[in-house]
Amino acid sequence: MKFAYRFSGLLGTVYRRGNLSFTRDGSSLVSPVGNRISLFDLKNNKCETLPLATRHNIVCVGLSPDGSLAILVDEEGAALLVSLVGKSVIHQFHFHKPVHSVSFSPDGKKFVITKDNVALMYHAPGKKREFNAFVLDKTYYGPYDETTCIDWTDDSKCFAVGSKDMSTWVFGAERWANLIYYSLGGHKDVIVACFFEENSLDLYTVSQDGALCVWQCDTELDGLKPMPPKEDRKKNRIKEDEEFLEESKGEEIHGKAHPNEQEIREKVKYSRVAKYFFNKEGDFNNLTSAAYHKKTHLLVTGFASGVFHLHELPDFNLIHSLSISDQRIASISINCTGDWIAFGCSGLGQLLVWEWQSESYVLKQQGHFNSMVSLAYSPDGQYIVTGGEDGKVKVWNTSSSFCFVTFTDHTSGVTAVTFTSSGYVILSASLDGTVRAFDLHRYRNFRTFTSPRPSQFSCLAVDSSGEIVSAGSQDSFEIYIWSMQSGRLLDVLAGHEGPISSLAFNPVKCVLASGSWDKTVKLWDMLDSWRTKETLMLNSDVLVVAFRPDGKELAVASLNGQITFWDHENAVQVGSIEGRHDLQMGRKELDKITAKQSAKGKSFTTLCYSADGQSILAGGLSKFVCIYNVKEQILMKKFEISCNLSLDAMEEYLDRRKMTEFGSMALIDEGAGDEDGVAIPLPGVKRGDMSYRRFKPEIRVTCLRFSPTGRSWAATTTEGLLIYSLDSGMIFDPFELDIDVTPSNIRKTLHQKEYAMAIIMALKLNEKKLIQEVIEAVPSDEVEVVCSSLPDLYVEKVLEFLASAFEISCHLEFYLIWAHKLLMLHGQKLKTRSQKLLPVIQFLQKSIQRHFEDVSKLCEWNIYNIKYALAISQQRGMKRLAETSVDEEESESDSDYLMQEGHKDSLSS
């Protein structure tokens, strides 16, 4: 078992906060998701989360005009310079204060950030060789309150900055003789956005109270005059002096809101030519975001009520007025062509891309409103189902990372989800007292299982045949058994003296294991009228049980932090792991005790065996997921699922900078309105009190599952659904390597047409590209001969390669021939090792199934088109026949008439 699992994707969350940005070509969207960013490829319908993260939640993203660089700034003002091509961090920088917006100039040479009441202009990295990627060029002062937004002119000569003091400032990127700064008023609320007109200094400003001002400038962009030479010399002297300083602070430009007459003489002048209002009916509705497309003159504005308007400027003609939801629209972005508009709603975690001309959705995605609680892989590993505290059940495609169906039938939080063995039925248990079955063919709730008395179901299990459904209750301490076919309640299993915490069916035998808070695990025999076969006694409350894939071992996690392994046939404990210290708990802001002390009461809340059964994954109320070797009972690796300090319980020690003489700043903030001092949360509160003015979600892992293919595992966490995959391209992992096995020798053997030998040598070296080169060099008519001469040990390796090659290769038929011949020739021998080979076979099945779905859709479409073309050609043929028959009849009638006329003439003569 290799432990080279790396972060490969974030599902379940599509948008949190911050600004959305389209890439240069307009076909991809960059969305900040917590402390990571996701790239949505809208043309190929795929989503990718970059393998990098900031220390806090991202609040603003700036993309360079060429689309190769991005600047990510978090809540604390820490910035990452990221290459979108290499998907890696190039440079780190700290602005020391929260940043409100960041924007590159259209020529890509500068970028401006706004923080506090200043705008800072930096030289853009990558345009020339420099030691430091962030070199400050100019600092612009002027607004009295915090700056909110930025926009550049098309030629990068000037930029505008909006502020909370209701003013907008126009600054020159260079010191122009007739424009250094200019202040614009005219609003009665915070400036939300400001936009320059195309190739002009004319300006639009939008404020929070729904007012739009149109400003006209008396000077064109070409009319900006450079500084006289004298002033340039002064500037150069200042720069020479700055070279002797340790750090160049750049030039400072101080703007005045009310300059005197001498200062405004022969300068650029602005005049307000129009003022429009969005709230005409009198219903006061805060304007929260806006975007403007310069070429099409399209203004899109979003409001706190979830309504958005489309207007054509400068005449302010309303094109559309629609509603997305009842939550505030936090961000709007328009792509380069002006066809697609992206909306982000942070309240619901909703992301929409709308094509306004056809009035249709290009993308409509939404994560779980509250945290996710459980997940399950489909038997072929192609889909993941998740259940959340918002009562929704969502199904995700692992290859595209998109949710393609959401079931909203539950009226309370979902506690457990699972797939049946067929892969087309999903089961979910909920606190609303129902277990529901959903059909993935018709996307409907076709069966609802209930108990005689209302019960809150905390866990769920389905047997390997998919016929028997069981759910455990947390209030009546009973287990309910139903038939999937009829939906009838078959039995109620009583015996536990505490809430049922976990259920698991043996994958091989008809045995159900149930864990409870009464410190016991009971094994129920399905074939023997559900009698208790064994009762396993533990030292602490049982939290979770899990069977090994071969059904010969049972793992149990208890409240004292132990994982115990049992031979359930003989009711004998075969091993245990003391895992409490591996959890490595963090200290919450309101904790009165240290992390080390609080860890004494913590334990694993979720367990999962790997596909081959050699390892076990364990997670709980911590930022770490531990993977243990079952046989050796040692910790193999710890995965840190998040480094996001915006979440609670992330740090092991208290931050001394937040400590005052009165105690922690977090305590003071939350206890400020209480007469009795600090408010202490009630014991047993799991998610914190959302009524507080400042709420930080706590980091936790609620569920872990290994993919049936063995190539990846997934975890539902506070951050979302995280997927970790095997990154085979990063490891050199030879297999029975010999000194003579080299790439040159392999190619020599291949040249001599010894194909089987060349394949064995390539598999020994285990270089993926070399294996591909060798296998694709085998002629298709010799595949059967080569397959028959392969030793049994290497058949498994070839099947594993074929499964991974199917995902990326275009040689579909060739690889299908290989898979078919291998399975036909070695099928009987492979069947004897079916348990060990199951992950490989399922991986192969998943790859073939995905191609089958894609090709079958294409074939069906082609068949329809051919039928349509044939039908049209037949209709045209019928028309032509009808037309020719009419022409023949007319010609016959004409000839008859002529004959009659001739006959009359002959008679008269």
Side-chain angles (χ1 to χ4, degrees), residues 206 278 287 289-291 299-303 307-311 329 332 343:
V206 183
F278 293 95
L287 190 147
S289 54
L299 175 70
V300 187
T301 48
F303 294 83
V307 174
F308 69 91
H309 297 324
L310 269 71
H311 285 89
I329 298 171
I332 299 176
F343 299 96

Side-chain angles (χ1 to χ4, degrees), residues 637-872:
K637 190 168 181 177
K638 265 164 66 167
F639 298 93
E640 188 179 6
I641 56 165
S642 179
C643 61
N644 188 359
L645 297 176
S646 296
L647 302 173
D648 208 358
M650 284 295 296
E651 295 179 282
E652 200 171 342
Y653 302 103
L654 276 180
D655 189 350
R656 296 291 173 196
R657 288 170 295 182
K658 292 179 183 173
M659 295 299 289
T660 66
E661 57 184 312
F662 306 107
S664 172
M665 294 287 281
L667 290 166
I668 293 164
D669 182 31
E670 293 190 341
D674 298 330
E675 293 177 9
D676 304 328
V678 176
I680 298 167
L682 291 168
V685 172
K686 287 183 179 179
R687 296 180 294 279
D689 190 347
M690 289 187 180
S691 65
Y692 283 146
R693 284 175 291 170
R694 211 163 56 87
F695 173 70
K696 281 178 84 170
E698 186 185 336
I699 186 71
R700 59 176 64 223
V701 179
T702 51
C703 190
L704 291 166
R705 289 291 177 266
F706 239 100
S707 168
T709 63
R711 308 284 303 173
S712 61
W713 57 270
T716 50
T717 70
T718 314
E719 289 274 67
L721 174 60
L722 303 176
I723 295 181
Y724 287 78
S725 301
L726 271 178
D727 193 356
S728 54
M730 300 296 290
I731 344 158
F732 174 60
D733 179 26
F735 175 72
E736 295 184 358
L737 192 60
D738 196 3
I739 197 165
D740 297 327
V741 179
T742 61
S744 55
N745 282 354
I746 292 167
R747 288 189 178 97
K748 199 184 288 179
T749 311
L750 190 64
H751 189 66
Q752 292 166 359
K753 296 188 178 180
E754 294 179 17
Y755 299 119
M757 192 65 203
I759 288 169
I760 290 166
M761 288 171 76
L763 289 167
K764 281 183 176 180
L765 197 62
N766 209 1
E767 282 286 330
K768 198 169 182 180
K769 286 186 178 176
L770 196 62
I771 297 169
Q772 186 178 345
E773 184 186 328
V774 172
I775 284 182
E776 287 182 2
V778 178
S780 57
D781 55 347
E782 291 195 33
V783 169
E784 190 170 356
V785 179
V786 174
C787 287
S788 61
S789 58
L790 276 176
D792 294 343
L793 194 62
Y794 293 95
V795 171
E796 183 186 340
K797 296 276 179 190
V798 175
L799 282 172
E800 198 172 338
F801 167 77
L802 291 175
S804 59
F806 267 119
E807 294 193 326
I808 50 170
S809 179
C810 57
H811 306 298
L812 187 58
E813 188 187 0
F814 180 72
Y815 282 122
L816 280 171
I817 292 166
W818 267 96
H820 180 251
K821 297 296 180 192
L822 277 172
L823 293 170
M824 290 299 288
L825 291 165
H826 299 272
Q828 287 299 322
K829 289 176 184 175
L830 291 172
K831 203 172 181 180
T832 57
R833 294 183 293 140
S834 59
Q835 198 63 46
K836 192 182 175 187
L837 288 171
L838 193 62
V840 177
I841 300 297
Q842 283 176 330
F843 185 30
L844 186 69
Q845 184 192 351
K846 174 192 169 185
S847 305
I848 294 170
Q849 182 69 25
R850 193 169 60 82
H851 278 294
F852 170 73
E853 285 174 4
D854 292 345
V855 173
S856 61
K857 280 177 189 172
L858 187 67
C859 292
E860 283 169 11
W861 177 246
N862 288 343
I863 289 165
Y864 169 75
N865 282 340
I866 290 163
K867 282 181 178 175
Y868 179 69
L870 285 169
I872 286 173

Side-chain angles (χ1 to χ4, degrees), residues 466-481:
E467 293 299 319
I468 304 294
V469 179
S470 66
S473 167
Q474 67 179 25
D475 44 12
S476 65
F477 313 158
E478 292 170 331
I479 301 163
Y480 298 91
I481 311 291

Side-chain angles (χ1 to χ4, degrees), residues 155 157-158 176 178-179 201 219-226 268:
D155 59 0
K157 287 182 178 179
C158 302
W176 305 109
N178 52 347
L179 177 60
L201 280 169
T219 311
E220 291 297 320
L221 281 169
D222 300 336
L224 293 174
K225 300 168 190 172
V268 164

